Amino acid sequence: KENKPTSSSRIPLGLIWQGLSDFTFPPESSQENGRLMLADGGVAEKGDPKVNSGGGSGGVSNGYPTSTVQSPKEGAGGVPTGAPRTLVVQQTSLDRPRETWSKKMDFLLSVIGYAVDLGNVWRFPYICYQNGGGAFLLPYMLMAVFGGVPLFYMELALGQFHRSGCISIWKHICPIFKGVGFAICIIALYIAFYYNTIMAWALYYLLASFRPTLPWTTCSNPWNTVNCLRYLSTDSNVTWTNTSTSPAEEFYTRQVLQVHLSPGLHQLGSVSWQLALCLLFIFTIVYFSIWKGVKTSGKVVWVTATFPYLVLLVLLVRGATLPGAWRGVVFYLKPDWGKLLSTTVWIDAAAQIFFSLGPGFGVLLAFASYNPFHNNCYKDALVTSSVNCLTSFLSGFVIFTVLGYMAEMRKIGVETVAKDAGPSLLFIIYAEAIANMPAATFFAIIFFLMIIMLGLDSTFAGLEGVITAMLDEFPQLLSRRRELFVLGLVCVCYLGALSTLTYGGAFVVKLFEEYATGPAVITVVFLEVIAVSWFYGTSRFCADVNMMLGFSPGLFWRVCWVAICPIFLLFIIVSFLAFPPEVKLFDYVYPPWTTVLGYCIGVSSFICVPAYMVYHLLTAKGTFKQRLLNGITPVPSGPHSDIIITHAV
């Protein structure tokens, strides 16, 4: 009789039976010569606990109990001894099968969309010209080859092999470091608190772009001041002074942010209802894109990850045809080799490549965990990291052709136009340049739509990292309630972002950006590399990669993981502590107490690492030495570790 499995996920081809699904023993030899060939190549002999015939109970394959069914006619008064018996085995999974990407391109576009974010558009061009132009590309590429790409490759391989999120994966690597996973989730929440607010600003601009006249082109609006001055080369009777402000700057600071209504972080003011509605719309899109898992988000990224490249290409062609574009390109790429002697250049290169590729945020682990076991993650790492770096380089041309145009129109130097960094570069300088182009409305719409798309797929990825981690850590509680859990997570992120929607919200965004994520996530990745390379062991990790891909990582990768990557990360950490950033936004200089507040926010996530180590040592059994040994001993993991035999008759 066939015993129906209780699990919902049946795997029909598990054991390989001689004679396909039915195997009939000869009458005399059934008890003496009965043998079953197992999937792992082993042979079950008579009396082997792996095979249990009749009505008893025993173990199957890996020691799990079997449930067998006897025909009513068997045993006393049943089928006579020696009669043929039919054996039917069904293999099922103890857990629900793990979701996988519908297509390989869904995974690649998701990783590219995560890595290519707003920072590629504003941070890389600014840092590049600030640190020697074309000369900066040398330290940038060196840091990418020896630091960024090896970390990127390592995370993809870890996630794909162990098929776990950033919390539960640690039991397979080094259990005592499990606090790293919780720290990553807290950091991801901090990012969600401020990152989506930038998209809300872009949405505000997008809606304003549908007006007949772009509102940041004139000084006759209610929010403008007497210092507002529309200054271009065509306005010969206008004189620009140090107190003058452009209409684009006043629209950004006084209408969108309304930062003039807040004196600083000590008094943020009320929440802007316009931005609150914009952010609500953004989070609504985010929720319905990720609520069902990678099956839905993998489809959405076909739009959000590809559309920005189309817009970048259009803007590049348009920028290259503007008068003065060559001035911006020369300023962007002209090498200043003397700056390579400065430590700051190398620090900026290391930090830029690290935050650009984005290891340590749990996203690469989560995305790779949904891959087929034998997917070539090595090639994926090289392709996606290369696309990311090239996109940053391309964005520099898009930005600086327009900055050269602005410098030409105002008859000033490019360095004067490009003095602003961060979102101001996009929302003030670039927005003003677009407003003075022919077909300004069209270019404004596609530009701010691109900004929203760049932010959306990065948000999808960041929240998916948290969702995957929590679902893998608490599967019994959350696996069947994913939609409700995602809804709760999005609501928490929205409530946490309310402080960034106030009149002083821009100050909060800057504080989170400087302190809440940077130092903490770099320290977390440093511990991750140490745990994988020194505790788990590079040899064991390379053997895992060999099992997946059919080849083992070469000497270069081993040296990077063991020595170069830890030194690379330690270099960034020490430089940050030695040279803390001077935080300033517009005319507001952050007071000393905000530095203390920033460090407290950063430590609040990292504190999970030592806290869990103490918890693990206190709750484990045995002597202190045994507890410590168990804490650094990984639980074996493999591609089929979750499959067991539940029925054998």
Side-chain angles (χ1 to χ4, degrees), residues 254-285:
R254 300 181 61 87
Q255 175 63 12
V256 180
L257 303 182
Q258 301 183 69
V259 74
H260 64 288
L261 299 177
S262 170
L265 278 172
H266 61 282
Q267 189 177 341
L268 294 177
S270 304
V271 173
S272 169
W273 66 268
Q274 299 100 323
L275 292 181
L277 289 178
C278 289
L279 187 63
L280 181 63
F281 181 75
I282 293 294
F283 271 119
T284 302
I285 296 175

Side-chain angles (χ1 to χ4, degrees), residues 391-430:
T391 304
S392 297
F393 188 60
L394 173 68
S395 299
F397 288 98
V398 174
I399 296 296
F400 274 92
T401 51
V402 172
L403 293 184
Y405 164 71
M406 286 297 294
E408 180 79 11
M409 296 294 285
R410 288 186 174 179
K411 304 299 181 184
I412 56 178
V414 180
E415 66 279 359
T416 306
V417 178
K419 65 180 185 300
D420 291 319
S424 300
L425 186 65
L426 302 180
F427 293 112
I428 297 178
I429 304 300
Y430 206 91

Side-chain angles (χ1 to χ4, degrees), residues 156-282:
L156 287 182
L158 283 173
Q160 184 170 304
F161 184 83
H162 297 290
R163 310 200 74 177
S164 300
C166 62
I167 298 177
S168 55
I169 195 174
W170 286 100
K171 67 182 178 183
H172 304 305
I173 299 174
C174 190
I176 203 170
F177 279 92
K178 193 174 185 178
V180 168
F182 291 106
I184 289 173
C185 291
I186 295 176
I187 292 170
L189 284 179
Y190 287 156
I191 294 173
F193 288 167
Y194 77 87
Y195 189 81
N196 298 281
T197 301
I198 301 173
M199 283 186 285
W201 300 344
L203 180 59
Y204 192 103
Y205 269 86
L206 177 65
L207 297 175
S209 300
F210 287 96
R211 299 181 187 179
T213 302
L214 295 179
W216 58 89
T217 59
T218 62
C219 292
S220 57
N221 303 290
W223 58 82
N224 291 128
T225 66
V226 294
N227 293 325
C228 181
L229 197 63
R230 189 173 184 270
Y231 175 60
L232 294 173
S233 60
T234 54
D235 303 319
S236 55
N237 58 341
V238 174
T239 303
W240 185 268
T241 65
N242 292 333
T243 60
S244 300
T245 55
S246 66
E249 181 179 350
E250 292 201 348
F251 177 77
Y252 178 58
T253 58
R254 300 181 61 87
Q255 175 63 12
V256 180
L257 303 182
Q258 301 183 69
V259 74
H260 64 288
L261 299 177
S262 170
L265 278 172
H266 61 282
Q267 189 177 341
L268 294 177
S270 304
V271 173
S272 169
W273 66 268
Q274 299 100 323
L275 292 181
L277 289 178
C278 289
L279 187 63
L280 181 63
F281 181 75
I282 293 294

Side-chain angles (χ1 to χ4, degrees), residues 39-92:
D40 59 3
V43 177
E45 302 286 349
K46 170 189 171 183
D48 193 321
K50 293 182 180 179
V51 180
N52 186 49
S53 59
S57 63
V60 174
S61 179
N62 51 7
Y64 283 86
T66 64
S67 58
T68 61
V69 176
Q70 271 190 309
S71 171
K73 296 182 180 181
E74 288 186 281
V79 179
T81 304
R85 293 182 179 183
T86 299
L87 304 181
V88 178
V89 167
Q90 293 182 341
Q91 177 178 335
T92 61

Side-chain angles (χ1 to χ4, degrees), residues 609-620:
V609 180
Y612 185 83
M613 289 180 176
V614 173
Y615 168 78
H616 187 277
L617 292 175
L618 290 178
T619 56

Side-chain angles (χ1 to χ4, degrees), residues 598-648:
Y599 277 115
C600 288
I601 296 173
V603 171
S604 66
S605 58
F606 179 72
I607 198 70
C608 294
V609 180
Y612 185 83
M613 289 180 176
V614 173
Y615 168 78
H616 187 277
L617 292 175
L618 290 178
T619 56
K621 297 179 180 180
T623 64
F624 180 79
K625 183 178 180 181
Q626 290 172 333
R627 297 177 188 182
L628 190 60
L629 189 62
N630 289 335
I632 61 175
T633 303
V635 177
S637 174
H640 307 297
S641 61
D642 61 329
I643 296 176
I644 64 167
I645 308 301
T646 58
H647 294 83

Side-chain angles (χ1 to χ4, degrees), residues 117-127 195 198 395 399 420-427 451 513:
D117 65 351
L118 298 175
N120 293 70
V121 178
W122 80 56
R123 188 179 292 117
F124 178 83
Y126 177 80
I127 289 179
Y195 189 81
I198 301 173
S395 299
I399 296 296
D420 291 319
S424 300
L425 186 65
L426 302 180
F427 293 112
I451 297 298
E513 185 182 7

Side-chain angles (χ1 to χ4, degrees), residues 14 41 230 248 304 363 406-407 439 541 544 599:
R230 189 173 184 270
T304 58
V363 174
M406 286 297 294
F541 176 58
D544 295 345
Y599 277 115

